[in-house]
Amino acid sequence: MTALLLRDAELDGRTRADVRISDGRITEIAGSLTRRAGEAEHDCHGGALLPGLCDHHLHLHALAAAERSVRCGPPAVTDRAGLGAALAAARPDAHGWIRGVSYFETVAGDLDAAGLDRLCPDRPVRVQHRSGALWMLNTAAASAVGLASADHPGIERTPGGVPTGRLWRADAWLRAHLPPAPPDLAPVGARLARLGITAVSDATPELEDGAAEAIADALRDGALPQRVQLLGAPLGAVPPGDLPRLGIGPYKIMIADSALPSLPELTRQISAVHATGRAIAAHCVTREALVILLAALAEAGTLPGDRIEHAALVPAELVPELAHRRLRVVTQPGFLAHRGDDYLRDVPGGEHIDLYRCASLTAAGVRLALSSDAPYGPLDPWEVMAAAVHRRTPAGRVAGPGERLTPGLALAAYLAPPHDPGGPARRVRTGADADLVLLSVPLATALSAPDTDLVRLVLAGGRVVAGG
């Protein structure tokens, strides 16, 4: 592995030093280091050198699929005519299918097979709701996957038993009935690297063997230079011994908003996961989901590392309970920057303060990590940090001004390691893995206006993966 000497880097926003990297680790830090024979050299010009960022909740395969999908919702598409034009212009895949993403009801109402047929009847079309919970198929697509004779509980039907073309939380079933489409994770890995992301937690629930193998293969061949933690790996799963950059995280539990589990059911599920020694990562969006989760944890008990994904609505009276149970919260304030006006319109005014809490959680001692939920939320971590700091909606309104984070805390929420979201921010230090981000400006300047364009060089395992 090539050795590298980084000259004149700003560390911790205070000091400037040279940093030596070899065998994938930081081996020396000093005010001035002598270049060794065969050592590459890079002048940082006083730019901030940071540990690589960690996105604590995203979906790798969905990101890969989104790269080859047509946008069907705001801001790209805002009305029915625009949706029809987007589908007509879409390029079908090798099997003749069109895949749409990011649909929202403000475009053309509650889409079903009949509605999609009016827009695009001649090719199989499937469109995903921006929440990720719903797929909508036209008649050609429904026929191709055998929807009429299927028995998945997520298939919506008329009172007469006829499928409407709408499928709720049926991703695994749908994948099994679609033509094979091997994911290409290389564009995803490259995009993450350009943003300064060197570690991710894949939050896809019930990750199938083929999907996990595809991620492992992408790590082996370098298509994914990031460290990856899998939340959806089956209980008892063990990462391959040849992949130190692949780990198994807390077990993903879906608390579906549309069909909440009973308290005994959820308690049994949590207890079964904990019995294996593994923490949980509970998908929890609504107030009702949070209440039932906390009730289940009161009966099942908690394990270190138990975490709540999203926590989109957290009533003030439940914040002390989160702290008491030492739960971590992995949240996405980037949604406020993209959908905040919808939330302020649709969520009762008295609950606006509960949206994507940040400051009140950290003040109460709750470990808080930021993430994207990409492709369902904005992937850019610098955009998410800015959203956590400003909490501005697209129209410029402020959603919960008291929940703003300082720029330093927003950055720190991306600097915790994958296995410790909300934990102490990693620092550039001797002996640490050389997963690093070099900015073109000092840290104080970057924090005053976070922007992806400030990312100058990215290293993963000591190897340059973006910039140069």
Side-chain angles (χ1 to χ4, degrees):
M1 187 174 291
T2 303
L4 177 63
L5 180 61
L6 299 175
R7 288 209 178 278
D8 189 27
E10 182 197 63
L11 306 181
D12 297 325
R14 297 188 300 272
T15 61
R16 289 167 75 158
D18 293 353
V19 178
R20 173 166 283 125
I21 295 166
S22 60
D23 296 325
R25 291 189 176 273
I26 300 170
T27 57
E28 198 172 358
I29 299 175
S32 180
L33 294 173
T34 302
R35 181 182 180 186
R36 295 172 179 169
E39 194 172 50
E41 190 174 21
H42 188 95
D43 193 337
C44 301
H45 298 289
L49 185 65
L50 308 172
L53 306 183
C54 177
D55 190 321
H56 295 278
H57 182 121
L58 51 62
H59 304 270
L60 289 169
H61 288 297
L63 270 168
E67 293 283 338
R68 58 179 190 272
S69 301
V70 57
R71 297 293 182 270
C72 294
V77 172
T78 59
D79 56 26
R80 184 181 298 274
L83 177 59
L87 293 175
R91 183 176 180 181
D93 65 17
H95 303 281
W97 280 73
I98 293 174
R99 184 184 193 275
V101 294
S102 305
Y103 181 77
F104 192 59
E105 286 80 5
T106 55
V107 174
D110 291 327
L111 270 188
D112 56 14
L116 277 173
D117 286 347
R118 287 191 288 271
L119 296 168
C120 188
D122 55 339
R123 293 175 291 187
V125 175
R126 67 188 189 278
V127 175
Q128 188 181 45
H129 191 272
R130 75 177 186 185
S131 67
L134 170 67
W135 281 98
M136 295 151 278
L137 279 60
N138 70 353
T139 298
S143 176
V145 300
L147 205 59
S149 59
D151 61 358
H152 189 280
I155 298 173
E156 184 180 282
R157 298 178 183 275
T158 67
V162 178
T164 65
R166 293 160 62 88
L167 286 76
W168 294 91
R169 298 205 178 280
D171 293 57
W173 181 91
L174 185 57
R175 277 194 300 271
H177 291 78
L178 289 170
D184 182 4
L185 291 171
V188 174
R191 186 178 174 195
L192 291 168
R194 289 194 299 270
L195 294 169
I197 297 171
T198 62
V200 301
S201 287
D202 182 276
T204 307
E206 299 179 357
L207 201 64
E208 299 168 342
D209 289 344
E213 289 170 5
I215 292 172
D217 289 343
L219 285 165
R220 285 191 183 93
D221 64 21
L224 274 179
Q226 288 75 26
R227 296 181 183 276
V228 178
Q229 177 180 240
L230 303 177
L231 305 188
L235 293 177
V238 177
D242 65 326
L243 288 176
R245 295 178 73 83
L246 179 63
I248 305 297
Y251 183 77
K252 181 74 175 286
I253 291 178
M254 293 297 299
I255 305 179
D257 318 324
S258 55
L260 292 175
S262 68
L263 178 57
E265 177 188 359
L266 183 57
T267 302
R268 285 193 297 271
Q269 187 178 16
I270 293 172
S271 297
V273 175
H274 283 174
T276 70
R278 192 166 164 187
I280 65 161
H283 169 103
C284 193
V285 174
T286 63
R287 287 165 162 255
E288 294 78 9
L290 182 57
V291 168
I292 193 172
L293 172 64
L294 291 175
L297 287 170
E299 294 192 23
T302 57
L303 278 186
D306 281 347
R307 49 189 272 185
I308 298 175
E309 310 300 303
H310 310 301
L313 283 167
V314 179
E317 62 269 21
L318 295 184
V319 172
E321 180 73 4
L322 299 182
H324 171 69
R325 300 207 172 275
R326 300 182 183 277
L327 296 169
R328 301 159 189 262
V329 169
V330 180
T331 193
Q332 298 90 29
F335 281 124
L336 297 175
H338 276 215
R339 308 179 188 173
D341 294 306
D342 294 339
Y343 298 151
L344 296 182
R345 180 193 65 226
D346 299 335
V347 173
E351 299 178 16
H352 288 177
I353 188 61
D354 300 337
L355 286 164
Y356 293 100
R357 286 183 179 270
C358 291
S360 61
L361 295 178
T362 58
V366 177
R367 292 195 170 193
L368 179 78
L370 300 184
S371 62
S372 67
D373 196 24
Y376 311 112
L379 177 61
D380 186 339
W382 307 94
E383 182 180 352
V384 175
M385 287 181 227
V389 171
H390 302 296
R391 299 183 67 89
R392 289 198 189 97
T393 71
R397 302 163 70 188
V398 177
E403 293 297 328
R404 289 172 169 145
L405 292 180
T406 65
L409 285 177
L411 174 61
Y414 265 99
L415 292 180
H419 67 273
D420 189 17
R426 290 167 294 128
R427 298 175 59 201
V428 177
R429 58 177 178 81
T430 303
D433 292 312
D435 294 344
L436 300 167
V437 178
L438 174 65
L439 305 182
S440 59
V441 296
L443 183 59
T445 304
L447 291 179
S448 68
D451 195 303
T452 305
D453 290 341
L454 300 178
V455 175
R456 179 176 164 191
L457 186 75
V458 182
L459 306 179
R463 181 170 62 92
V464 175
V465 294

